[in-house]
C-alpha cells in the first residue's frame, strides 16, 4: 500500500473486524484495507458494500487523486542512497522536471542546516564536500600534502560517516557526493575510492553515493581516458561518477579559472557524444557537467552570459546520433549556480539538468545569520561579565557557540529552502 494511503487511514485498522475487507481502487493502485464500512463512510463518503466469499468487501474508486511522492513512487529509503536508487532519483527528476541542490558542506553545522531545509521542504538533497571543505572538516591542524592529501581524505571519510549516521533521522533521501577533483587532487580521489571499496566489501554499498572528476583543464582525450579508468573501478560498486567537460570559470576552493578564454566555457555537442559513447557500455551511473558559460562565484549582473539552451542542443544531438527514442538521454549538472536567474535554472532543468551546485550563496547566507547576531548583541559580546543590564550580569548565554552558530544555520537553511523551491524540488517527497 502506498505510504500516502497508510497515513490516510492511520490507526483505524485496529478497530476492524477480521471479517471486513475493503478494496480501494486508485488510478495507479488497487489494494485491500481491513476497515469497517462505517469508518470508510466517515472518511470517504458513502460506499457500496457487496458480498465476496464470506467477508464483507467494499470496493470503491478514489475520485480524489492520491499524491504520489518520490518515497512512494520510487520506494526510496530515508538516509544516504546508492546505486539504483540514485539512478531512479535522477531519472525521475529528469522526467518530472526538477533538479536537486548540491550543497557544499564543511562542518556538522552546515550539514544540519541543509538537512533541516530538505526535511521541512519535503525534498531530497545532495550533500557534497570539496577537497578544501573535506580538509577543513578534518581540521586545519592536520597535514594535507599534495602527494597524499591526508587531511582531505580523512575529512571526507569523517564527513561521510557523520552524514550516513545522522541523515536517516531527517526522513529524506540524501545523495552523498564529493565535488571538483582536478588532476592535481587525484590522490584525494584515490584515497576515497579505496575506502569505498573497503566499505563495499563489508556492507554491500560504497561509503559515498558518488564522486566528481573535474579534468576539464586537460585535453578532451585525457579527460575521457582518465574518467573511463575510474568509472571501471566504480561500476562494480554501482557508484555514480560526475565528470566535467568545458571549464567552469571563476575561482572556487583553490581552483582558479578566472583567466581562461571565454570559448573554453562552452562545451561542444561532439564532446558530449564522445563521452556518452565512452561511458555507456561501462556503467549507467554517470552525469556530465557541461559548460554553457558557467562561472563560480557571484558577479555583477551582465558579467556572466549563460546559455542553458545549449544543453537542449546537446540532448538532441546525442538522441539523433544514437537513434534514441528518449528526448533527454543525458544527465546534466549545472555548476556555478549561485546568483543565476530563475529563468536560467528552469531552462537548464527543462533540458535534463538534475543537479545544481550552490555554494557561494550559501556561504553568504550562513555568514549573515552570525553577522547579524553579533551586530545586534555586540554589547553582550565584549566581555564575559557586564552588559547594558548591569555591570555584574554574565554574558555566557550570548556567547555560547551553540547560540550564534545556530543563527548561521537558520539563515543558511532559509537559503537552501529558496533553492529547493527555485529548482522545483520542494514537495517532491
Amino acid at each position: 500500500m502506498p505510504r500516502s494511503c497508510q497515513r490516510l487511514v492511520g490507526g483505524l485498522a485496529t478497530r476492524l473486524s477480521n471479517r471486513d475487507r475493503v478494496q480501494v481502487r486508485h488510478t495507479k493502485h488497487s489494494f485491500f484495507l481491513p476497515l469497517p464500512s462505517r469508518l470508510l463512510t466517515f472518511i470517504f463518503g458513502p460506499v457500496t458494500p457487496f458480498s465476496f466469499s464470506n467477508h464483507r468487501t467494499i470496493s470503491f474508486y478514489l475520485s480524489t487523486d492520491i499524491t504520489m511522492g518520490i518515497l512512494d513512487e520510487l520506494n526510496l529509503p530515508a538516509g544516504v542512497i546508492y546505486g539504483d536508487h540514485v539512478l531512479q532519483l535522477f531519472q525521475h527528476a529528469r522526467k518530472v522536471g526538477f533538479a536537486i541542490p548540491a550543497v557544499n558542506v564543511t562542518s556538522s553545522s552546515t550539514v544540519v542546516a541543509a538537512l533541516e531545509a530538505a526535511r521541512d521542504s519535503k525534498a531530497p538533497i545532495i550533500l557534497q564536500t570539496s577537497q578544501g571543505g573535506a580538509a577543513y572538516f578534518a581540521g586545519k591542524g592536520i597535514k594535507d600534502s599534495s602527494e597524499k592529501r591526508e587531511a582531505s581524505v580523512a575529512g571526507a571519510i569523517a564527513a561521510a560517516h557523520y552524514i550516513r549516521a545522522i541523515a536517516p533521522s531527517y526522513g529524506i533521501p540524501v545523495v552523498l557526493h564529493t565535488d571538483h577533483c582536478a588532476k592535481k587532487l587525484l590522490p584525494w580521489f584515490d584515497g576515497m575510492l579505496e575506502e569505498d571499496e573497503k566499505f563495499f566489501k563489508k556492507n554491500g554499498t560504497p561509503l559515498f553515493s558518488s564522486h566528481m572528476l573535474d579534468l576539464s583543464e586537460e585535453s578532451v582525450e585525457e579527460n575521457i581516458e582518465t574518467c573511463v579508468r575510474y568509472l571501471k573501478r566504480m561500476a562494480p560498486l554501482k557508484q555514480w561518477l560526475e565528470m566535467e567537460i568545458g571549464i567552469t570559470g571563476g575561482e572556487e576552493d583553490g581552483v582558479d579559472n578566472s583567466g581562461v578564454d571565454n570559448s573554453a566555457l562552452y562545451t561542444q555537442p561532439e564532446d558530449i557524444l564522445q563521452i556518452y559513447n565512452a561511458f555507456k557500455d561501462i556503467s549507467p551511473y554517470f552525469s556530465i557537467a557541461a559548460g554553457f558559460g558557467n562561472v563560480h562565484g557571484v558577479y555583477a549582473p551582465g558579467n556572466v552570459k549563460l546559455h542553458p539552451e545549449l544543453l537542449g542542443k546537446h540532448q538532441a544531438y546525442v538522441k539523433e546520433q544514437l537513434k534514441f527514442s528518449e528526448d533527454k538521454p543525458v544527465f546534466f549538472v549545472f555548476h556555478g549556480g549561485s546568483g543565476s536567474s530563475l529563468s536560467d535554472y528552469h531552462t537548464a532543468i527543462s533540458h535534463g539538468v538534475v543537479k545544481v551546485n550552490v555554494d557561494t550563496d550559501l556561504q553568504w547566507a550562513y555568514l549573515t545569520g552570525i553577522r547579524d547576531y553579533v551586530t545586534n548583541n555586540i554589547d553582550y559580546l565584549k566581555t564575559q561579565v557586564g552588559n547594558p543590564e548591569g555591570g555584574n550580569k554574565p554574558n555566557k548565554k550570548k556567547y555560547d557557540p551553540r547560540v550564534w552558530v545556530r543563527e548561521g544555520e537558520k539563515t543558511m537553511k532559509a537559503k537552501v529552502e529558496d533553492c529547493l523551491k527555485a529548482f522545483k524540488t520542494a514537495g517532491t517527497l
Side-chain angles (χ1 to χ4, degrees):
M1 185 197 311
R3 287 185 180 91
S4 48
C5 289
Q6 290 175 342
R7 291 191 294 268
L8 184 65
V9 299
L12 294 176
T14 59
R15 299 176 55 184
L16 160 215
S17 161
N18 61 11
R19 297 183 65 79
D20 287 333
R21 212 158 94 128
V22 177
Q23 185 181 31
V24 180
R25 292 179 183 172
H26 176 249
T27 52
K28 294 183 179 179
H29 303 276
S30 180
F31 46 87
F32 287 94
L33 296 180
L35 290 174
S37 57
R38 63 183 181 278
L39 293 180
L40 281 166
T41 299
F42 175 74
I43 298 171
F44 300 112
V47 295
T48 304
F50 61 90
S51 176
F52 182 85
S53 298
N54 294 320
H55 293 74
R56 288 183 296 150
T57 300
I58 300 167
S59 180
F60 65 96
Y61 180 82
L62 279 180
S63 58
T64 302
D65 194 22
I66 301 172
T67 301
M68 300 294 292
I70 292 170
L71 293 178
D72 284 330
E73 192 159 337
L74 306 183
N75 197 29
L76 296 183
V80 176
I81 61 174
Y82 304 93
D84 289 333
H85 282 146
V86 176
L87 178 61
Q88 289 164 6
L89 175 60
F90 287 159
Q91 286 174 331
H92 186 76
R94 186 175 61 183
K95 176 183 176 182
V96 173
F98 67 87
I100 305 165
V103 178
N104 281 62
V105 294
T106 56
S107 64
S108 61
S109 177
T110 51
V111 168
V112 164
L115 288 175
E116 275 193 42
R119 179 200 63 196
D120 293 352
S121 300
K122 295 180 174 57
I125 195 78
I126 299 171
L127 300 183
Q128 59 187 27
T129 58
S130 64
Q131 175 266 327
Y136 184 84
F137 211 106
K140 297 295 285 184
I142 298 179
K143 183 180 180 181
D144 197 46
S145 68
S146 58
E147 296 79 19
K148 294 185 178 180
R149 294 294 174 188
E150 298 91 341
S152 303
V153 173
I157 292 170
H161 282 293
Y162 171 71
I163 293 169
R164 278 178 51 86
I166 201 67
S169 299
Y170 287 83
I172 57 170
V174 176
V175 177
L176 179 54
H177 183 65
T178 60
D179 204 8
H180 295 267
C181 180
K183 184 176 180 179
K184 65 183 179 181
L185 300 177
L186 285 178
W188 174 50
F189 199 99
D190 291 333
M192 293 187 295
L193 190 51
E194 287 172 10
E195 192 67 22
D196 282 316
E197 290 168 335
K198 292 177 186 176
F199 196 86
F200 184 85
K201 288 181 181 178
K202 292 181 180 179
N203 302 280
T205 67
L207 180 59
F208 296 87
S209 311
S210 57
H211 295 295
M212 182 197 176
L213 283 171
D214 180 2
L215 303 174
S216 56
E217 293 178 308
E218 316 309 321
S219 68
V220 172
E221 291 72 25
E222 182 180 354
N223 187 347
I224 295 175
E225 180 183 333
T226 305
C227 288
V228 164
R229 187 170 72 249
Y230 279 103
L231 187 59
K232 287 179 178 178
R233 281 182 66 184
M234 298 166 72
L237 315 182
K238 291 190 172 183
Q239 191 172 42
W240 196 275
L241 175 65
E242 176 186 331
M243 68 87 68
E244 181 162 346
I245 186 78
I247 293 174
T248 300
E251 187 275 334
E252 183 179 56
D253 241 336
V255 179
D256 190 353
N257 293 325
S258 54
V260 301
D261 186 85
N262 228 24
S263 61
L265 304 181
Y266 299 93
T267 303
Q268 300 305 308
E270 293 82 4
D271 295 336
I272 301 297
L273 179 63
Q274 188 177 351
I275 294 163
Y276 198 94
N277 279 329
F279 288 9
K280 66 181 175 62
D281 293 330
I282 301 171
S283 169
Y285 311 110
F286 68 90
S287 53
I288 302 173
F292 51 93
N294 317 58
V295 176
H296 286 133
V298 176
Y299 298 86
N303 282 9
V304 177
K305 302 292 185 183
L306 292 180
H307 291 281
E309 71 279 0
L310 293 175
L311 299 178
K313 296 180 179 180
H314 298 338
Q315 296 280 21
Y317 185 76
V318 173
K319 176 186 177 181
E320 178 187 1
Q321 293 299 311
L322 298 182
K323 310 301 180 186
F324 286 150
S325 58
E326 167 64 56
D327 288 333
K328 293 180 284 186
V330 184
F331 295 106
F332 281 126
V333 177
F334 188 147
H335 278 226
S338 291
S340 301
S341 70
L342 199 61
S343 63
D344 283 337
Y345 288 136
H346 289 176
T347 300
I349 291 168
S350 73
H351 294 310
V353 162
V354 296
K355 172 179 179 278
V356 180
N357 282 17
V358 186
D359 185 25
T360 305
D361 281 351
L362 299 182
Q363 291 177 348
W364 176 252
Y366 191 89
L367 167 67
T368 58
I370 297 173
R371 178 202 65 194
D372 294 348
Y373 177 83
V374 171
T375 301
N376 295 333
N377 293 278
I378 191 65
D379 290 332
Y380 294 84
L381 302 176
K382 294 178 179 179
T383 59
Q384 285 188 290
V385 178
N387 58 52
E389 298 175 32
N392 295 321
K393 294 285 187 180
N395 295 318
K396 186 178 186 308
K397 290 184 178 180
K398 293 288 188 178
Y399 64 75
D400 185 331
R402 291 171 295 182
V403 177
W404 52 268
V405 169
R406 179 59 181 162
E407 294 305 309
E409 292 172 1
K410 290 177 182 177
T411 45
M412 178 178 167
K413 174 192 173 186
K415 185 60 181 178
V416 175
E417 289 174 334
D418 289 343
C419 293
L420 289 163
K421 292 175 184 175
F423 308 158
K424 304 180 182 181
T425 333
T428 55
L429 296 186

